[in-house]
Amino acid sequence: MFNFLADVAEKTKSSVVYIEIVARHPFTKQNIPISNGSGFIVRSDGLILTNAHVVSHHGRVVVKLYDGKEYEGTVENFDTESDLATVRIKAKDLPVLPLGQSSKLRAGEFVIAMGNPLTLSHTITAGVVSSANRQGKDLGLHRKSDYIQTDAAVNVGNSGGPLVNLDCEAIGINTMKVTEGISFAIPSDRAVEFLQRIEKSQKGSWNPFSSSEDTNKKQKYLGITMLTLTPSIIRELQERNPEFPAVNNGVLVWRVMVNSPSAGIRHGDVITAINGKDIHSASDIYSLLKNEDVLHIHIIRKNREFDITVKLMNPVLP
């Protein structure tokens, strides 16, 4: 019945690549992988599209194609605002995965997430589109963008890989997983805009380790990324996990940054109140960051409720 998914995977898999960032160990002096992700070929002359956060680490970029060939990669264009980047390899006549129109995507459509999760090369998972237009602010992101929500299984290493429709087109770039069955992708229309900006740019590239004026502004730093718990998302989480707490408002923590001030907060925690005020969205927390130095955070973790105190700090900028 689902052979059509296998047909799509067969036609598109050769365009998906494995990306590894390699750096020299400070003591052994050996080259070791420090991160990995995915990408896909958008130009036959060696241009690869991926997430900016996949190639944001200082190190040598190694790209491995489906046929096993390895190439040295060069980060050509890098935009933290859209979380998109391009990597160039010296190769020709490569199989291209075309970008579709994500604006035509509808909830309920079948999609395939392709990439290299958990360093497992060329893994394919299928699912459906849960929402074709989830706003970035609902995910606790400042980016002025929308996202595709899917239940296709996405894990670490899938970032930068394509979300493919049944027409064998990339209609999204896999970006983040919140929990089992809830993952997000950057719409392909944003990727098309990104590539068009590159073509029109007189400079032709961004410095991958430079910061814009906005990102250089010192802002208090909590060090978590989160998902606003709307009524529909709460229902979906409770259907997938009967142990998910019975809450009416709050945010779900889906990542805690290394060396952040939020050491007592964990992935999966639900924040319902801060400094005695109910939290209804990620925007509520960002507003508090502007005016407070210390946060008294009320957390629900499985069947426990407790409070922790977090002293905010300014991020160390490069």
Side-chain angles (χ1 to χ4, degrees):
M1 177 180 178
F2 293 103
N3 284 342
F4 61 90
L5 296 176
D7 292 339
V8 172
E10 184 67 29
K11 292 177 182 178
T12 57
K13 63 184 181 182
S14 60
S15 299
V16 182
V17 306
Y18 173 72
I19 298 175
E20 190 171 71
I21 309 301
V22 177
R24 188 177 294 275
H25 193 283
F27 301 114
T28 65
K29 306 302 181 183
Q30 293 181 328
N31 288 327
I32 58 171
I34 58 174
S35 68
N36 69 86
S38 305
F40 59 99
I41 301 164
V42 291
R43 299 284 188 272
S44 61
D45 60 356
L47 190 66
I48 293 163
L49 183 66
T50 186
N51 283 138
H53 73 260
V54 169
V55 292
S56 63
H57 301 276
H58 291 273
R60 185 166 60 91
V61 180
V62 177
V63 176
K64 185 175 182 179
L65 304 187
Y66 182 78
D67 61 9
K69 293 180 181 178
E70 288 190 7
Y71 294 86
E72 193 88 8
T74 301
V75 179
E76 283 197 345
N77 301 281
F78 187 102
D79 184 19
T80 55
E81 180 66 23
S82 63
D83 193 21
L84 292 171
T86 57
V87 175
R88 174 76 66 178
I89 61 174
K90 293 181 179 180
K92 295 181 179 180
D93 301 322
L94 297 176
V96 171
L97 181 58
L99 290 163
Q101 288 184 268
S102 56
S103 58
K104 295 183 177 180
L105 194 63
R106 299 174 298 169
E109 288 192 34
F110 280 106
V111 287
I112 297 175
M114 307 180 73
N116 304 279
L118 307 173
T119 71
L120 300 173
S121 294
H122 307 293
T123 300
I124 296 165
T125 58
V128 298
V129 173
S130 307
S131 172
N133 186 22
R134 183 72 70 192
Q135 295 301 305
K137 63 182 181 180
D138 291 337
L139 309 182
L141 300 174
H142 283 305
R143 300 184 191 116
K144 297 177 181 178
S145 182
D146 49 341
Y147 289 82
I148 299 167
Q149 181 182 337
T150 176
D151 65 358
V154 171
N155 288 294
V156 175
N158 264 115
S159 288
L163 188 69
V164 180
N165 64 13
L166 299 187
D167 293 323
C168 299
E169 299 169 327
I171 46 81
I173 297 87
N174 301 319
T175 299
M176 65 186 93
K177 169 189 172 181
V178 174
T179 188
E180 291 299 330
I182 300 181
S183 300
F184 296 92
I186 298 170
S188 57
D189 290 354
R190 304 289 85 76
V192 170
E193 293 169 2
F194 172 69
L195 294 172
Q196 288 175 343
R197 290 203 311 270
I198 293 172
E199 293 176 358
K200 293 178 181 179
S201 172
Q202 293 180 350
K203 294 181 180 179
S205 65
W206 290 277
N207 184 335
F209 302 110
S210 67
S211 299
S212 67
E213 182 179 348
D214 288 339
T215 57
N216 274 324
K217 293 178 181 177
K218 286 192 174 182
Q219 298 177 342
K220 292 171 188 173
Y221 174 60
L222 184 57
I224 63 174
T225 49
M226 51 203 151
L227 174 70
T228 297
L229 291 174
T230 63
S232 61
I233 290 179
I234 291 172
R235 285 195 302 271
E236 190 169 349
L237 287 168
Q238 290 172 339
E239 288 172 0
R240 295 181 181 280
N241 179 11
E243 295 183 356
F244 190 82
V247 295
N248 297 315
N249 61 277
V251 298
L252 173 68
V253 177
W254 57 271
R255 184 183 298 167
V256 181
M257 306 302 180
V258 177
N259 298 323
S260 78
S262 302
I265 300 176
R266 297 180 187 175
H267 167 82
D269 284 351
V270 175
I271 298 173
T272 58
I274 296 180
N275 292 356
K277 299 178 181 178
D278 287 345
I279 296 298
H280 294 275
S281 70
S283 297
D284 292 343
I285 294 181
Y286 288 124
S287 296
L288 287 168
L289 295 183
K290 297 177 183 178
N291 303 312
E292 305 287 348
D293 293 316
V294 177
L295 301 182
H296 302 287
I297 303 175
H298 187 73
I299 290 175
I300 301 177
R301 181 180 296 162
K302 295 184 178 179
N303 58 353
R304 293 176 53 218
E305 293 192 38
F306 57 94
D307 296 287
I308 68 168
T309 299
V310 172
K311 185 176 181 180
L312 299 175
M313 66 182 188
N314 290 321
V316 178
L317 299 172

